[in-house]
Amino acid sequence: MRGRGSPAASHQGPPSPPPSSEAASADLPEVSAAPQMHRLPRNKRKHTVVFKYCEEMNELNEAANNRPRSALIHSIQQENRHIRQLQQENKELRVALEEHQNVMELIMSKYRQQVAKLVSVNSKQSQPNTQDQAKVSSFK
């Protein structure tokens, strides 16, 4: 029979750490503590998620200046109303801008037509003068 100090007893692997010792569990080989290592990441993830949730809640409370929930809801409702008003104003401004652009296109179109007419009238008036001058010079 072999005792506790025998070499066969030492091949059983290191003793399992207490459940609350996270630092000791990181030093253990994966083979000997496989069931515990499987639980630790899940527990660690759960702990991390809870910790992040608490941090985010603290940040939100600080941002809200620790006001009561009803005051926060009221201020959010006011903000939503203001956002809707701004969106409506934005729509109206877009429509007004589109109308303005259409009117400007119409004005510029009419202006181009008038300039084209003026150029053609001026060119017609200047052509007879040159023809008249040619006739006059031919008579001389």
Side-chain angles (χ1 to χ4, degrees), residues 31-50:
V31 176
S32 65
Q36 290 179 354
M37 291 300 284
H38 184 264
R39 283 187 226 140
L40 283 176
R42 185 180 300 156
N43 290 341
K44 197 170 190 178
R45 280 186 295 219
K46 185 177 179 182
H47 173 56
T48 304
V49 169
V50 169

Side-chain angles (χ1 to χ4, degrees), residues 7 38-39 43 62 64 67 72 75 82 84 94 116 120 124-125 129:
H38 184 264
R39 283 187 226 140
N43 290 341
E62 288 174 12
R67 293 184 292 178
L72 291 173
S75 66
H82 187 250
R84 285 191 199 107
R94 285 182 194 273
S120 68
K124 285 181 184 178
Q125 287 178 354
N129 288 340

Side-chain angles (χ1 to χ4, degrees), residues 71-89:
L72 291 173
I73 291 172
H74 181 69
S75 66
I76 290 172
Q77 287 173 340
Q78 286 180 333
E79 188 175 337
N80 283 341
R81 278 188 229 115
H82 187 250
I83 288 171
R84 285 191 199 107
Q85 288 173 349
L86 291 173
Q87 288 173 338
Q88 181 62 32
E89 183 181 352

Side-chain angles (χ1 to χ4, degrees), residues 7-115:
S10 65
H11 289 296
Q12 293 176 357
S16 59
S20 63
S21 172
E22 290 182 24
S25 66
D27 296 334
L28 293 176
E30 292 179 284
V31 176
S32 65
Q36 290 179 354
M37 291 300 284
H38 184 264
R39 283 187 226 140
L40 283 176
R42 185 180 300 156
N43 290 341
K44 197 170 190 178
R45 280 186 295 219
K46 185 177 179 182
H47 173 56
T48 304
V49 169
V50 169
F51 182 73
K52 285 182 180 179
Y53 173 78
C54 289
E55 281 183 343
E56 289 175 6
M57 288 304 294
N58 288 336
E59 288 176 15
L60 288 173
N61 284 334
E62 288 174 12
N65 296 325
N66 294 317
R67 293 184 292 178
R69 178 175 266 183
S70 61
L72 291 173
I73 291 172
H74 181 69
S75 66
I76 290 172
Q77 287 173 340
Q78 286 180 333
E79 188 175 337
N80 283 341
R81 278 188 229 115
H82 187 250
I83 288 171
R84 285 191 199 107
Q85 288 173 349
L86 291 173
Q87 288 173 338
Q88 181 62 32
E89 183 181 352
N90 194 10
K91 287 177 186 176
E92 292 170 4
L93 289 171
R94 285 182 194 273
V95 168
L97 177 63
E98 187 177 340
E99 289 175 1
H100 178 72
Q101 287 173 336
N102 291 338
V103 168
M104 288 302 295
E105 287 176 16
L106 179 65
I107 291 171
M108 289 305 295
S109 168
K110 298 261 183 184
Y111 173 76
R112 288 184 198 105
Q113 289 174 354
Q114 291 297 322
V115 169

